[in-house]
Amino acid sequence: MDASLDVWDHFSMPLMSLWVNRFYLYLGLAFGISLCICVQVAIKKLGDRSTKESSLQKAPLTPAANGPISRQKKEEVFVSGVKIFYGTQTGTAKGLATRLAKAVKALGFPAVVVNLKEYDPDDRLGEEVTSKHLCVFLVATYTDGQPPESAEWFCRWLEEASNDFRFGKTYLKGMRYAVFGLGNSLYDGNFNKVGKNIDRWLWMLSARRVMTCGEGDCNVVKSRHGSLEADFAAWQAHFLSRLQDLSRSDHSKKKAACRHRQGHCKKGECKSKKKEGKNAGPEGSRQEAPEEEEQFETTSEEESGPEEGRSRSPVVDVEDLGKMMDSMKKAKKEREQQDMEQDMSRSPGKNEAREKREMITPALREALSKQGYQLIGSHSGVKLCRWTKSMLRGRGGCYKHTFYGIESHRCMETTPSLACANKCVFCWRHHTNPVGTEWRWKMDQPDMILQQAIDNHQNMINQFKGVPGVKAERLEEGLQVKHCALSLVGEPIMYPEINGFLKLLHQHRISSFLVTNAQFPTEIRNLEPVTQLYVSVDASTKDSLKKIDRPLFKDFWQRFLDSLKALSEKQQRTVYRLTLVKAWNVEELRAYAELVSLGEPDFIEVKGVTYCGESSASNLTMANVPWHEEVIHFVEELVGLLPQYEVACEHEHSNCLLIAHTKFKIDGDWWTWIDYDRFQELIQEYENSHGLKTFSAKDYVAKTPHWAVFGASERGFDPKDTRFLRKNKAKDISGC
């Protein structure tokens, strides 16, 4: 027993010691396991690296003829070819384009030379976003800073698109381009103006320039390299270098640049440096990412508007701050001036001694001109609708053509008043037009407005001569204005001489389609007969109307109801215009039905809202745009509450349907179209009798063709025309 105790004492002491110091034992085990794991990970990394290096050494290199090397089969292709567009008057740009194409092909890249005269940007420019082509524009500047004849249509289209919200600021996002301009520095104010403009317009549509706009100078005295050809040769060498850079893997370039700067690249380091560079301003960003800066330059050479600047990037070049601040101060000063004068106009007597100012301020004139408006006098404007351009090409007209027989290419869209009493969330102009509750500006005479509107409209139509796809017979018809849509922007009924303007339209045998926002009931009652009178019914309750239209009048709801009552007193054709905004006003069916009984319109147009792009003035998004089937569902439910109305017509392309009173359904056929010649006879009889011989809406109806009726297989598209579907369906520029 003593022996057994000795053995137990021999083992118990070390065990007790281990138990007392068990913490150090656990720590040692944990350290050992960790060390083992680290060793295994290191061995695995070394094995992977050696395997990758051996595979790279074994992989064959397949160089193109005198060109770039393709390192891996799975490596992404960043440039599939080069498209070289040229616009020339004397042939110089064409020669340079051919020369550049040869140089590009010598590097192993496919190259295509395209004459801008034969290129339709409306159909094809959007395709360059996903084509992986690098687009090069070689364009000369002609007399007075104008583009050559061959590039005239392309430049006009691009300028309008860059300032048209329907295209959106990201319409060309993904397209890569470079521009070289041909000019003469003797014409100092217009030196390379066309090339610079194309560069700026592409940038405004979010295309990415791969290098700074080149400037060729025919003036050998001031040319940077001694001649235009030498300027181009220097630019071409730089371009070819950029082309080779873009053909390589973007990832490998960034890694190489990072190693060159830091000597090593830790995980997350590059991203953090990039963020620091953004905050550091232009110089900091250049130092942190020279490769990215050189490949894709992101600043415009000319100042963009404040709205454009905000939506693109929080980074502003220091040299642009002065221009931006001046622009903002100028706009703020004009707004304060407007508000001050509006306040004074509410106090009788105070502003009588003041001279009335012009409605169109310099800043407003600049903004609207960029959007394609032809401004008239001090408060009017005219603009081509996109449906006018569509019908000139035989691609179909707008919903007014389907519903009422308007020839879209003969329709002049204008307004005698750019001002409005509402600030609607879906405003097409993003509230660049002035606002007011009464006329307080200088006033132009109606004869001057109409004549200049017709002249400007004809000039815009004339510019389509030679444009690809435009039909000669329709171009000639388009020069003769037959219809006038007083719905461009603003509130035309605010113009004090609106009745005189309407009489002049009818004297010229031009039909009149006037749209009002239902805030001026007295003016509606005093209005002379028009071919068709519209009232915008954007909501059916007081709260939703305030939310959507954002009216300036405090008694806006009573004015709205009074306007609908005034509409019911009209003998000629009347229309409710409903704009559906999903999640805002599509659930108010019974309230809409009550409003219909109040105004008793002949027709009800129901249209899904058109998304107008991002704006600080509105929080509307694409989520608020209803699908066409949703609009149909709304219309069918609304008609179920209106016993005297039925669905008559449909225009799928505009996401629009027409509800008509059953009095226009004669012997089972719809008669929603208009006999325009008969209307002109009736209105002349009315004028000659000084208003004694009146007429009603049914006196100038015409039969609706079968393809325009709801349920037809054409869904409102005229079979005489050819439907054009954009390949880039994600870019929706529908409107009107």
Side-chain angles (χ1 to χ4, degrees):
M1 188 160 179
D2 293 337
S4 62
L5 287 174
D6 291 341
V7 172
W8 168 248
D9 291 340
H10 178 74
F11 285 103
S12 64
M13 292 302 293
L15 288 174
M16 288 295 294
S17 178
L18 285 174
W19 177 252
V20 172
N21 298 287
R22 62 186 180 279
F23 171 76
Y24 299 103
L25 179 64
Y26 296 156
L27 187 63
L29 287 172
F31 177 77
I33 293 171
S34 300
L35 183 61
C36 183
I37 292 173
C38 290
V39 170
Q40 289 179 352
V41 170
I43 292 172
K44 187 176 180 181
K45 283 187 175 180
L46 288 172
D48 291 344
R49 185 179 300 174
S50 61
T51 303
K52 194 176 292 184
E53 288 176 355
S54 62
S55 64
L56 284 173
Q57 290 174 359
K58 292 177 182 179
L61 299 178
T62 56
N66 301 321
I69 297 174
S70 175
R71 289 187 177 86
Q72 294 180 15
K73 289 183 179 180
K74 292 184 179 180
E75 187 173 283
E76 184 180 353
V77 178
F78 288 90
V79 179
S80 62
V82 179
K83 281 189 178 179
I84 305 169
F85 301 88
Y86 70 87
T88 184
Q89 194 74 25
T90 62
T92 305
K94 181 180 180 180
L96 295 179
T98 305
R99 175 174 155 187
L100 179 61
K102 290 180 180 179
V104 169
K105 290 177 181 178
L107 291 177
F109 295 95
V112 180
V113 177
V114 182
N115 186 349
L116 284 174
K117 186 176 183 179
E118 301 168 356
Y119 185 82
D120 190 349
D122 199 26
D123 294 350
R124 300 170 60 187
L125 192 59
E127 299 174 9
E128 310 300 343
V129 171
T130 56
S131 66
K132 291 189 177 180
H133 282 110
L134 189 57
C135 298
V136 181
F137 297 88
L138 309 180
V139 188
T141 299
Y142 197 45
T143 308
D144 297 327
Q146 297 300 311
E149 186 178 347
S150 62
E152 188 176 355
W153 165 243
F154 179 83
C155 291
R156 186 163 64 249
W157 182 93
L158 191 60
E159 179 181 17
E160 184 175 332
S162 66
N163 292 285
D164 191 334
F165 66 87
R166 290 170 294 181
F167 284 85
K169 296 183 185 301
T170 60
Y171 182 70
L172 295 180
K173 187 175 183 180
M175 173 182 169
R176 295 169 294 177
Y177 74 95
V179 179
F180 182 83
L182 290 73
N184 193 319
S185 57
L186 289 174
Y187 304 100
D188 187 40
N190 294 318
F191 176 53
N192 271 317
K193 184 176 180 180
V194 175
K196 293 174 183 177
N197 282 341
I198 289 177
D199 179 59
R200 178 168 56 91
W201 294 330
L202 289 169
W203 175 84
M204 289 172 66
L205 290 169
S206 293
R208 302 180 74 180
R209 61 168 71 91
V210 299
M211 57 187 293
T212 305
C213 178
E215 298 182 3
D217 194 352
C218 292
N219 182 11
V220 296
V221 177
K222 290 190 176 182
S223 172
R224 292 182 63 184
H225 301 91
S227 67
L228 175 67
E229 289 73 15
D231 291 337
F232 179 75
W235 180 88
Q236 177 180 281
H238 189 196
F239 171 77
L240 295 176
S241 175
R242 284 282 159 263
L243 178 61
Q244 289 179 305
D245 289 343
L246 289 169
S247 68
R248 302 190 185 106
S249 167
D250 196 46
H251 177 68
S252 62
K253 288 194 67 179
K254 286 182 179 178
K255 285 183 68 176
C258 183
R259 284 197 300 269
H260 177 71
R261 290 193 304 269
Q262 303 291 343
H264 62 281
C265 185
K266 295 180 181 178
K267 188 175 180 180
E269 183 174 325
C270 293
K271 291 183 179 179
S272 63
K273 290 289 182 182
K274 199 175 222 180
K275 290 179 181 178
E276 290 174 9
K278 283 186 178 181
N279 294 329
E283 293 300 324
S285 61
R286 283 195 193 96
Q287 291 171 6
E288 296 300 336
E291 291 291 329
E292 187 70 11
E293 168 66 15
E294 285 186 289
Q295 285 188 35
F296 299 113
E297 302 184 19
T298 57
T299 55
S300 175
E301 293 183 16
E302 293 190 28
E303 178 192 12
S304 299
E307 197 75 38
E308 295 163 356
R310 282 194 298 271
S311 65
R312 290 189 174 278
S313 170
V315 182
V316 180
D317 286 342
V318 175
E319 55 267 29
D320 290 338
L321 283 175
K323 293 181 180 179
M324 182 174 291
M325 292 302 295
D326 289 343
S327 176
M328 293 173 66
K329 288 179 180 178
K330 183 179 179 182
K332 183 179 179 181
K333 186 175 181 181
E334 288 185 351
R335 284 197 301 270
E336 290 175 349
Q337 181 74 9
Q338 272 192 347
D339 294 340
M340 181 182 69
E341 294 191 10
Q342 186 174 353
D343 292 339
M344 294 186 68
S345 66
R346 292 172 184 151
S347 303
K350 285 188 178 182
N351 64 328
E352 291 179 358
R354 290 179 60 89
E355 182 182 356
K356 291 185 177 180
R357 66 181 182 87
E358 293 187 355
M359 180 187 294
I360 304 177
T361 64
L364 177 60
R365 184 176 297 275
E366 181 182 358
L368 292 175
S369 296
K370 284 183 177 181
Q371 295 173 25
Y373 280 88
Q374 300 295 318
L375 300 177
I376 302 165
S378 62
H379 54 74
S380 308
V382 64
K383 190 178 187 291
L384 279 189
C385 173
R386 85 172 184 92
W387 292 107
T388 300
K389 306 170 189 176
S390 176
M391 207 159 188
L392 285 172
R393 296 176 171 184
R395 295 180 176 178
C398 74
Y399 66 88
K400 298 188 195 76
H401 173 62
T402 300
F403 297 170
Y404 317 118
I406 281 182
E407 297 170 285
S408 301
H409 63 301
R410 302 186 67 181
C411 180
M412 176 176 69
E413 194 170 13
T414 187
T415 181
S417 171
L418 292 163
C420 188
N422 289 346
K423 300 176 71 176
C424 303
V425 295
F426 48 77
C427 176
W428 279 45
R429 300 277 70 91
H430 288 165
H431 312 291
T432 51
N433 56 306
V435 293
T437 56
E438 61 182 8
W439 190 272
R440 61 180 187 275
W441 301 278
K442 290 181 180 179
M443 188 179 69
D444 299 325
Q445 293 305 307
D447 54 346
M448 183 275 287
I449 296 173
L450 179 58
Q451 189 56 54
Q452 289 198 24
I454 293 174
D455 291 344
N456 281 307
H457 178 81
Q458 290 174 337
N459 289 336
M460 288 187 288
I461 294 291
N462 257 323
Q463 292 174 0
F464 279 82
K465 286 183 178 179
V467 171
V470 171
K471 296 186 175 183
E473 65 275 11
R474 291 201 174 175
L475 187 67
E476 290 301 319
E477 291 173 352
L479 293 173
Q480 303 300 318
V481 179
K482 188 177 180 180
H483 317 285
C484 180
L486 294 165
S487 61
L488 180 61
V489 70
E491 178 63 84
I493 208 169
M494 282 182 69
Y495 176 49
E497 293 294 327
I498 185 63
N499 282 327
F501 186 80
L502 292 169
K503 288 180 180 179
L504 286 173
L505 281 175
H506 300 150
Q507 288 174 12
H508 285 75
R509 298 188 67 81
I510 299 174
S511 64
S512 51
F513 293 79
L514 188 146
V515 180
T516 175
N517 289 319
Q519 290 296 297
F520 296 91
T522 303
E523 285 75 5
I524 292 177
R525 290 192 178 91
N526 296 334
L527 195 68
E528 291 289 323
V530 295
T531 310
Q532 192 155 279
L533 177 60
Y534 291 79
V535 168
S536 293
V537 182
D538 300 324
S540 57
T541 66
K542 183 177 180 179
D543 291 339
S544 58
L545 187 70
K546 183 177 182 180
K547 182 180 179 182
I548 294 174
D549 279 3
R550 297 189 292 189
L552 300 183
F553 284 108
K554 292 182 178 179
D555 59 340
F556 67 91
W557 183 245
Q558 189 58 50
R559 284 177 168 271
F560 178 73
L561 298 178
D562 290 344
S563 295
L564 300 185
K565 293 175 184 176
L567 195 75
S568 66
E569 301 168 7
K570 295 297 178 182
Q571 293 180 293
Q572 291 72 44
R573 294 167 65 107
T574 57
V575 183
Y576 274 13
R577 194 174 189 176
L578 274 63
T579 301
L580 296 188
V581 186
K582 191 191 292 186
W584 286 28
N585 65 354
V586 296
E587 307 297 333
E588 305 165 355
L589 283 167
R590 292 198 174 276
Y592 275 118
E594 292 175 3
L595 293 181
V596 171
S597 64
L598 190 64
E600 300 177 344
D602 295 321
F603 305 98
I604 306 169
E605 290 177 5
V606 183
K607 185 180 186 299
V609 66
T610 299
Y611 179 56
C612 303
E614 295 179 2
S615 168
S616 60
S618 171
N619 59 353
L620 200 70
T621 69
M622 279 299 296
N624 299 114
V625 180
W627 295 98
H628 186 61
E629 297 305 321
E630 291 177 310
V631 177
I632 293 176
H633 179 71
F634 175 90
V635 166
E636 290 175 338
E637 285 195 332
L638 179 60
V639 166
L641 302 174
L642 305 173
Q644 292 183 307
Y645 292 85
E646 293 181 14
V647 186
C649 303
E650 173 188 23
H651 191 250
E652 181 191 26
H653 196 177
S654 294
N655 197 12
C656 188
L657 281 88
L658 179 70
I659 301 172
H661 197 284
T662 51
K663 67 182 178 182
F664 292 97
K665 195 172 188 178
I666 304 171
D667 298 328
D669 295 323
W670 283 109
W671 290 66
T672 65
W673 276 35
I674 298 172
D675 186 338
Y676 294 100
D677 292 333
R678 180 58 181 154
F679 170 79
Q680 296 300 341
E681 294 172 3
L682 293 169
I683 196 67
Q684 289 307 315
E685 292 175 4
Y686 174 86
E687 293 293 342
N688 294 337
S689 66
H690 302 287
L692 297 176
K693 192 171 184 179
T694 60
F695 59 98
S696 68
K698 290 188 67 176
D699 292 331
Y700 54 101
V701 296
K703 189 175 180 179
T704 309
H706 68 89
W707 54 265
V709 177
F710 178 68
S713 58
E714 293 86 353
R715 306 202 76 172
F717 187 84
D718 192 341
K720 293 180 181 178
D721 292 328
T722 303
R723 184 73 179 267
F724 175 75
L725 298 174
R726 296 180 180 275
K727 291 184 179 180
N728 192 2
K729 294 182 180 179
K731 307 290 185 181
D732 179 19
I733 58 168
S734 61
C736 193

